[in-house]
Amino acid sequence: MKKVIFLLGLSLLLLLSGCTDNGYKSIEATIRSEGIQNEQIFYKEELNNSIILIYENPNGGVDAGIVYKVGNKYKWSYGGGVSFLSNGTDVTWSWVNMNAKEEEKQHQFYIGIVKEQSISRLHIKNLGMSKNIDKYAEIVKLSDGTKLWVALQDKYSNAQPGFILNGFDKDGKSIFHYEAEQSIN
């Protein structure tokens, strides 16, 4: 009888905490379930049954992760730190491949920091004939004034042929141009 009461109590505790085999009630609870300590979520991008997250880690760095939607609950897939490549210009960048499942080749994105405050829009396009990305990045202003930019790639590719970044001021004037010609693998 004690065992039955214990199991019922444990089941009730799991139910009330939002934790079940099917996932967690919130994205934040899902992140905490993995022992990840994050300060805040900067950006969310919903895709089919998954959500890409960009969040601040306790050291002030930026991490990226992916959670899957299972009904009205969430399950953690994986995540990790993002390193920004300094190119000696007003915009840093990194390319991240978030493929958790081989059949879902869609979670590739560019991310970086806009250091030049007068840049209000940033456009990214592949070099050459590739049409994997050709769009304006989303710029997210953080609480400390830092401007984080994110652009999800339109099509999957195994390698990146390079890209062009163009920055524009609030009046639409082009004030920044950068070309990364090297392949990113």
Side-chain angles (χ1 to χ4, degrees), residues 114 119-122 137-141 146-150:
V114 177
I119 296 174
S120 62
R121 294 188 76 198
L122 188 68
E138 185 162 341
I139 296 178
V140 180
K141 194 164 191 175
T146 301
K147 293 194 295 187
L148 181 73
W149 70 271
V150 179

Side-chain angles (χ1 to χ4, degrees), residues 10 17-18 24-25 30 36 50 62-63 70 84 87 93 105-106 112 118 123 145 155 161 168 171-172 174 179 183:
L10 182 60
S17 70
Y24 295 84
K25 290 183 180 179
T30 305
I36 297 169
S50 59
V62 176
D63 290 348
V70 181
F84 297 117
N87 51 19
W93 61 273
K105 295 181 174 184
Q106 62 188 356
S118 61
H123 187 268
K155 292 190 229 172
F168 302 91
D171 298 321
S174 179
E179 293 186 20
S183 177

Side-chain angles (χ1 to χ4, degrees), residues 82-152:
V82 175
S83 298
F84 297 117
L85 303 177
S86 179
N87 51 19
T89 68
D90 295 330
V91 178
T92 64
W93 61 273
S94 183
W95 180 74
V96 181
N97 186 353
M98 296 291 288
N99 282 353
K101 298 179 180 178
E102 185 61 28
E103 68 274 9
E104 294 185 10
K105 295 181 174 184
Q106 62 188 356
H107 304 303
Q108 299 169 306
F109 63 96
Y110 293 87
I111 183 172
I113 301 291
V114 177
K115 295 188 261 181
E116 174 53 54
Q117 292 302 307
S118 61
I119 296 174
S120 62
R121 294 188 76 198
L122 188 68
H123 187 268
I124 182 167
K125 180 179 178 181
N126 280 120
L127 279 173
M129 301 301 288
S130 174
K131 299 293 181 201
N132 298 326
I133 192 165
D134 185 0
K135 64 172 56 172
Y136 283 96
E138 185 162 341
I139 296 178
V140 180
K141 194 164 191 175
L142 308 183
S143 59
D144 66 357
T146 301
K147 293 194 295 187
L148 181 73
W149 70 271
V150 179
L152 185 67

Side-chain angles (χ1 to χ4, degrees), residues 55-73:
Y55 53 93
E56 181 181 15
N57 66 36
N59 301 324
V62 176
D63 290 348
I66 190 167
V67 295
Y68 284 96
K69 290 170 32 177
V70 181
N72 61 352
K73 302 217 177 176

